[in-house]
């Protein structure tokens, strides 16, 4: 599925940085400045890189079926898996929870049924992070439309977002997909440019660009405030102000991380293997984070780094097991 003849290790490193940032941010409270800053661009990076690997199918509906197999099926798998694992832990008091049910089996069935209904209205699923898989599915659908009818490919995601703004409608996280679509589209259209940039070997350019983008993203985050793909939040202001700031900060932050990935002189089979477990790592991460949040652990900028690395490696190990025994569950 590679888009270049020789593998671009900078993109592999960028994918690993993306996963690391997601895990790292999730260790902190919602009101944390660390989380506020990372949220400004980390998912934009994920969708832009994902766009680089998009493949157009000749038949539209076969393409949609393929996207569903690779993204929607894993979303259901990770959500149901978490229900089966954590509901008993909550039920028997091993982990703290605000509510309990008299029957464990009924509670599990109720959660699965409730989560299915929540998907129709941007609900908070048991494994809340799987929203990105639905959004990624919609990005693939939107781009498939765009590649066939460009005007229609712009109108459809724009109409989906307008429907949310005007009527609050968000079916199966299609609005998050519409928010992510500009980054996904740029990744697909600019993959040759990104490949050329990341393999140019201009270290001083990478460093200068990284520092410049770091300052710009910090300023834009300060001005625009909290953003959230999952919460369909563009910032602190109206869509006409926060919308452009949201997109600008997302693109600047993405290029900052791509520049950083180009600076890191690390490559090898282990880097490639780790980068290929991106979706599984994002899906599995809360297996480690939920129990960690139930402990007295308080994250700091520094101690969260080794913990995030350990979680990333643990998720990669789970990915390898899943890929070997039940590959269909992660879209293989």
């Amino acid at each position: 599925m590679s888009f270049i003849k020789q593998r671009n290790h900078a993109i592999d490193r960028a994918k690993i940085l993306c996963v690391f940032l997601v895990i790292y941010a999730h260790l902190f409270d919602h009101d944390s400045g660390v989380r506020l800053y990372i949220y400004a661009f980390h998912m934009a990076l994920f969708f832009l890189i994902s766009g680089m690997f998009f493949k157009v199918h000749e038949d539209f509906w076969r393409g949609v079926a393929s996207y569903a197999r690779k993204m929607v099926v894993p979303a259901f798998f990770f959500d149901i898996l978490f229900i089966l694992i954590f509901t008993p832990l909550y039920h028997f008091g091993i982990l703290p929870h605000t509510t309990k049910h008299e029957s464990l089996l009924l509670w599990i069935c109720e959660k699965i049924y409730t989560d299915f209904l929540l998907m129709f209205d941007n609900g908070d699923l048991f494994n809340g992070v799987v929203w990105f898989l639905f959004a990624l599915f919609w990005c693939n659908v939107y781009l498939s439309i765009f590649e066939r009818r460009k005007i229609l490919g712009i109108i459809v995601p724009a109409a989906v977002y307008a429907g949310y703004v005007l009527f609050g409608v968000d079916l199966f996280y299609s609005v998050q997909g519409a928010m992510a679509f500009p980054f996904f589209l740029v990744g697909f259209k600019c993959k040759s440019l990104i490949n050329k940039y990341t393999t140019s070997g201009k270290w001083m350019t990478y460093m200068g660009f990284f520092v410049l983008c770091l300052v710009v993203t910090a300023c834009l985050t300060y001005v625009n405030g909290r953003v959230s793909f999952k919460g369909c939040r563009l910032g602190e202001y109206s869509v006409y102000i926060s919308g452009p700031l949201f997109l600008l900060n997302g693109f600047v932050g993405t290029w900052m991380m791509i520049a950083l990935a180009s600076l890191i002189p690390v490559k090898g089979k282990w880097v490639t293997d780790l980068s290929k477990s991106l979706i599984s790592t994002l899906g599995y991460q809360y297996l480690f984070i939920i129990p960690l949040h139930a402990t007295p652990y308080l994250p700091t900028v520094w101690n969260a780094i080794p913990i995030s690395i350990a979680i990333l490696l643990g998720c990669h190990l789970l990915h390898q097991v899943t890929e070997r025994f039940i590959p269909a569950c992660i879209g293989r």
Side-chain angles (χ1 to χ4, degrees):
M1 196 172 176
S2 177
F3 57 85
I4 49 177
K5 293 182 179 179
Q6 187 175 0
R7 191 166 190 92
N8 188 338
H9 295 287
I11 299 303
D12 287 340
R13 295 191 292 267
K15 291 166 71 176
I16 295 172
L17 284 172
C18 176
V19 176
F20 172 82
L21 285 175
V22 173
I23 296 172
Y24 186 82
H26 284 159
L27 293 179
F28 293 85
D29 292 334
H30 287 280
D31 296 329
S32 166
V34 172
R35 194 160 178 164
L36 174 71
Y37 177 66
I38 293 176
Y39 268 42
F41 58 83
H42 74 315
M43 291 311 297
L45 173 64
F46 168 79
F47 287 110
L48 186 140
I49 292 176
S50 298
M52 295 176 68
F53 294 90
F54 174 78
K55 195 172 184 180
V56 181
H57 288 261
E58 292 185 9
D59 184 274
F60 176 79
W61 292 110
R62 285 187 179 180
V64 171
S66 175
Y67 308 144
R69 177 180 63 83
K70 294 178 180 178
M71 295 148 210
V72 177
V73 170
F76 280 105
F77 166 71
F78 287 122
D79 192 55
I80 294 174
L81 176 67
F82 270 54
I83 291 174
L84 294 177
I85 291 175
F86 284 104
T87 303
L89 296 178
Y90 293 140
H91 180 77
F92 294 111
I94 299 173
L95 289 176
H97 198 268
T98 54
T99 61
K100 289 186 178 180
H101 204 290
E102 291 184 2
S103 169
L104 174 59
L105 181 59
L106 286 177
W107 197 9
I108 291 174
C109 294
E110 180 184 286
K111 286 304 303 179
I112 294 174
Y113 175 70
T114 302
D115 272 20
F116 179 75
L117 294 181
L118 286 172
M119 293 175 192
F120 286 92
D121 191 27
N122 185 23
D124 193 9
L125 304 182
F126 200 95
N127 184 1
V129 297
V130 299
W131 69 267
F132 81 91
L133 284 166
F134 290 104
L136 186 59
F137 164 77
W138 287 112
C139 281
N140 279 266
V141 172
Y142 297 150
L143 189 49
S144 293
I145 297 172
F146 181 86
E147 285 299 290
R148 290 168 171 80
R149 299 283 188 274
K150 286 184 169 50
I151 295 178
L152 187 61
I154 295 173
I155 291 175
V156 170
V160 168
Y161 189 78
Y164 172 75
V165 173
L166 296 174
F167 309 109
V169 178
D170 183 10
L171 299 177
F172 284 93
Y173 302 94
S174 55
V175 176
Q176 287 81 352
M179 290 175 62
F181 182 61
F183 304 105
F184 193 80
L185 177 62
V186 169
F188 176 68
K189 291 296 184 181
C190 298
K191 57 188 175 184
S192 296
L193 175 63
I194 296 170
N195 176 51
K196 183 178 180 180
Y197 171 77
T198 53
T199 56
S200 64
K202 297 179 180 179
W203 308 109
M204 293 303 295
T205 301
Y206 297 149
M207 179 61 72
F209 204 71
F210 172 75
V211 173
L212 175 63
C213 290
L214 183 66
V215 173
V216 173
T217 53
C219 293
L220 288 173
T221 302
Y222 178 79
V223 172
N224 196 34
R226 185 175 304 282
V227 304
S228 171
F229 275 92
K230 182 176 180 293
C232 301
R233 185 186 180 99
L234 298 176
E236 300 293 335
Y237 310 103
S238 69
V239 64
Y240 304 106
I241 298 175
S242 284
L245 291 175
F246 166 81
L247 291 172
L248 178 61
N249 206 8
F251 281 120
V252 173
T254 292
W255 278 104
M256 174 181 72
M257 297 312 298
I258 289 176
L260 178 60
S262 302
L263 277 169
I264 301 173
V266 177
K267 62 181 180 179
K269 185 177 182 300
W270 70 272
V271 175
T272 301
D273 290 343
L274 199 58
S275 72
K276 289 180 178 179
S277 64
L278 184 149
I279 286 179
S280 295
T281 301
L282 293 177
Y284 277 128
Q285 60 177 302
Y286 264 85
L287 279 177
F288 302 93
I289 295 175
I290 290 176
L292 188 62
H293 282 168
T295 69
Y297 164 73
L298 293 175
T300 67
V301 172
W302 299 111
N303 71 24
I305 294 175
I307 291 175
S308 299
I309 293 173
I311 292 174
L312 193 158
L313 295 176
C315 291
H316 177 63
L317 180 60
L318 290 174
H319 163 80
Q320 290 181 313
V321 173
T322 309
E323 187 176 42
R324 179 167 183 175
F325 294 104
I326 44 174
C329 290
I330 55 173
R332 300 297 186 181

